[in-house]
Amino acid sequence: PLLFRGALQSLAWPALRWGGIEGLANLRQEHGHRRVTVRLSQRPGASEPKTAVLSGASPRSAEDDADGYGKSHASKSRTPWEGECLMIEDVALGDYCCWLEGEMLPDGHPLARLPRDRWWGYCAYQHFEELFAEVEDSNNSAADFSHLIGATRDTHGAPTLWLGSSGARTPCHQDAFGSNVVAQIAGEKTWLLFPPSAAALLGPQRLPFEEASTFTACDPLGAEGPPQGCGGL
């Protein structure tokens, strides 16, 4: 891993408007109509909701999904797999920004019964070529990584938008393809990194299967922490 501090300050990325105090307000104004998918999980110790919904179009009862999720996973301190999270599809990006800021949403909205003090959430893999499909250059110029790393950008290197609440996390994994460059526009993100020598202790596995990732058999972010001797940083 290689960390650069202040690397974005010299850039003129339009996406930098989405950071800072007015960042979410700017994102809502510019792109609040766009639709995203959000994954959510209950915070440890949170009580189970009486009702919840799984998509913007079709609310479901507690008996169907959210209540079952709470009974199976909310009491556990381990990091949930992506497939275990509640997934809400077709959410307006502006509404999701309202939820992130703790603003009230209309009754019946899929996020209205999932308050931030009991739930964390994130939208991920928001590929610019899909999120901004009708925009010239798929809005890639808003975050042109060629300005940052000095490499020619191609379609395989198009940016993706990740936007999460406090407490959002993913299971420990290793990306299987290429290299990643992360530009932290706003907020904070904590990384727990392990050296290659820790692989045997972490127990790499292909389950749950995801083409682009290899996961660990343990949960370094869970209650038990990383295996002894892993040397995480």
Side-chain angles (χ1 to χ4, degrees):
L2 186 62
L3 173 66
F4 293 99
R5 298 184 183 276
L8 302 180
Q9 294 177 1
S10 62
L11 302 180
W13 283 3
L16 295 177
R17 294 194 300 265
W18 309 340
I21 298 176
E22 300 296 330
L24 286 180
N26 292 336
L27 184 60
R28 287 166 57 180
Q29 181 178 4
E30 296 175 21
H31 302 292
H33 63 285
R34 302 189 185 281
R35 318 300 290 190
V36 296
T37 296
V38 182
R39 289 188 175 92
L40 304 104
S41 179
Q42 280 188 275
R43 299 180 185 274
S47 59
E48 298 173 16
K50 294 182 179 180
T51 59
V53 294
L54 259 282
S55 71
S58 57
R60 302 181 182 180
S61 67
E63 291 76 18
D64 290 333
D65 291 296
D67 188 55
Y69 169 89
K71 293 175 181 177
S72 299
H73 304 291
S75 62
K76 299 181 180 180
S77 58
R78 69 173 178 83
T79 304
W81 303 111
E82 288 186 347
E84 293 175 335
C85 294
L86 288 178
M87 186 170 69
I88 304 181
E89 300 175 333
D90 197 34
V91 176
L93 180 57
D95 291 345
Y96 175 56
C97 289
C98 288
W99 181 83
L100 288 174
E101 293 183 309
E103 297 183 11
M104 295 292 293
L105 291 166
D107 291 341
H109 191 282
L111 291 172
R113 295 183 180 272
L114 306 174
R116 273 196 56 195
D117 62 341
R118 289 193 287 136
W119 293 79
W120 56 255
Y122 66 92
C123 69
Y125 307 110
Q126 303 301 310
H127 297 276
F128 274 34
E129 59 263 40
E130 298 175 2
L131 187 63
F132 305 110
E134 85 291 356
V135 179
E136 183 180 358
D137 192 32
S138 297
N139 209 29
N140 286 347
S141 58
D144 191 339
F145 276 80
S146 68
H147 297 162
L148 185 63
I149 62 178
T152 302
R153 186 187 67 234
D154 57 32
T155 55
H156 299 289
T160 59
L161 175 67
W162 293 65
L163 185 60
S165 71
S166 62
R169 58 186 184 177
T170 59
C172 186
H173 63 278
Q174 178 183 14
D175 290 334
F177 300 139
S179 301
N180 289 323
V181 179
V182 176
Q184 190 75 23
I185 292 177
E188 298 178 353
K189 183 179 179 71
T190 300
W191 301 78
L192 180 59
L193 305 174
F194 297 96
S197 58
L201 296 172
L202 292 170
Q205 62 180 16
R206 293 298 290 171
L207 295 175
F209 179 76
E210 182 182 302
E211 185 181 14
S213 299
T214 300
F215 294 95
T216 64
C218 62
D219 181 16
L221 297 179
E224 298 180 357
Q228 187 174 1
C230 271
L233 175 63

